[in-house]
Amino acid sequence: KDEQIVAEIMRRRFFPALITHKTWEGFHFAGHEIRITEATDCYGAVVWPSALVLCYFLETNSKQYNLVDKNVIEIGAGTGLVSIVASLLGALVTATDLPELLGNLQHNVLQNTKLKSKHKPCVRELSWGIDLEKNFPRSSCHFDYIMAADVVYHHPFLDELLLTFDHLCKNDTIILWAMKYRLKQENQFVERFQTLFDLELVSSFPSLNIALYKAMRKGRMKT
């Protein structure tokens, strides 16, 4: 079953028939053809399999996780694929990442949602753990969903990542997080995450070494 679902997810990806001056990949989600411009010189400018897993989940579970008119933030949005799919599914999306990635992120998000989405998505800078209250004040920022795909890997900002999850998450916020398991240090982040949040395994894809989680603040998970 794992291999069949993974094959279906990967069939959503396509490549240009002709070589062009810009590197891009195509995807079919939410009833639309999505074209993503990538860059090979930066981790954040490439579409990773975890993003496809999360997009597939959002599309195939759109009744249970109805995003219409919901306020959604994606952290570590990268190329913007997850944000684009959430926007096409009716969400009011804020796509965030580091300053150096915002140009390409903005291009992808706007190109693929213009005249297609109910709400115009927003692209904003978010450096994990930095100026969180200044840029996303707790009193005025409320997100129904926090989305993240492949944000845990070998980088020195895992403490800041946890702080960012904690700052953005209200009592009724749902976190949807696709996690690729790699090294022990990164996998330990899940244990630390669970000190603040209840974590539920929604889907597992052993052939990709990817798990999809739902999380909420401790004691808030709905049965």
Side-chain angles (χ1 to χ4, degrees):
K1 185 178 179 180
D2 166 55
E3 293 179 355
Q4 291 177 349
I5 296 176
V6 168
E8 169 60 23
I9 292 172
M10 293 307 166
R11 278 196 292 269
R12 302 302 185 92
R13 188 177 216 157
F14 67 92
F15 298 92
L18 300 174
I19 297 176
T20 61
H21 68 286
K22 281 189 175 183
T23 302
W24 65 271
E25 289 186 67
F27 303 88
H28 290 290
F29 287 109
H32 292 274
E33 178 182 298
I34 301 168
R35 293 193 177 191
I36 296 293
T37 301
E38 297 182 312
T40 57
D41 58 347
C42 178
Y43 287 131
V46 177
V47 177
W48 299 99
S50 293
L52 274 69
V53 167
L54 183 49
C55 288
Y56 180 81
F57 176 81
L58 294 177
E59 180 189 73
T60 55
N61 293 272
S62 59
K63 290 185 178 179
Q64 183 178 357
Y65 297 89
N66 186 354
L67 298 185
V68 177
D69 299 330
K70 296 296 192 298
N71 204 8
V72 172
I73 186 169
E74 183 186 4
I75 60 175
T79 61
L81 180 61
V82 172
S83 288
I84 291 164
V85 172
S87 180
L88 293 172
L89 290 171
L92 179 57
V93 174
T94 301
T96 70
D97 215 312
L98 296 170
E100 58 267 28
L101 296 173
L102 294 187
N104 188 58
L105 175 58
Q106 175 107 359
H107 168 77
N108 285 330
V109 169
L110 294 184
Q111 174 179 262
N112 288 287
T113 60
K114 188 176 181 180
L115 303 179
K116 299 176 184 178
S117 296
K118 183 177 181 179
H119 304 285
K120 182 179 179 181
C122 174
V123 174
R124 293 184 60 184
E125 175 186 343
L126 174 53
S127 299
W128 298 338
I130 298 176
D131 293 331
L132 294 175
E133 182 59 30
K134 176 184 176 182
N135 297 324
F136 297 89
R138 290 178 185 268
S139 60
S140 58
C141 288
H142 182 281
F143 297 104
D144 299 296
Y145 289 92
I146 299 171
M147 297 187 182
D150 219 353
V151 293
V152 179
Y153 52 91
H154 187 58
H155 62 71
F157 305 109
L158 294 178
D159 289 341
E160 291 81 359
L161 174 59
L162 185 59
L163 182 64
T164 301
F165 272 122
D166 184 40
H167 180 84
L168 295 174
C169 189
K170 294 288 197 297
N171 285 338
D172 58 347
T173 301
I174 295 173
I175 299 171
L176 293 175
W177 167 29
M179 162 81 171
K180 182 174 178 66
Y181 282 84
R182 295 183 176 91
L183 303 175
K184 184 177 179 180
Q185 176 186 357
E186 298 150 19
N187 298 347
Q188 289 173 343
F189 178 85
V190 177
E191 298 176 9
R192 296 178 56 208
F193 184 88
Q194 288 179 284
T195 63
L196 298 175
F197 304 99
D198 287 324
L199 197 62
E200 175 188 333
L201 179 64
V202 177
S203 298
S204 180
F205 302 94
S207 62
L208 295 175
N209 214 22
I210 291 174
L212 179 62
Y213 293 110
K214 171 188 174 183
M216 295 186 75
R217 282 207 173 278
K218 281 283 187 182
R220 296 286 177 169
M221 188 76 79
K222 295 179 180 179
T223 57

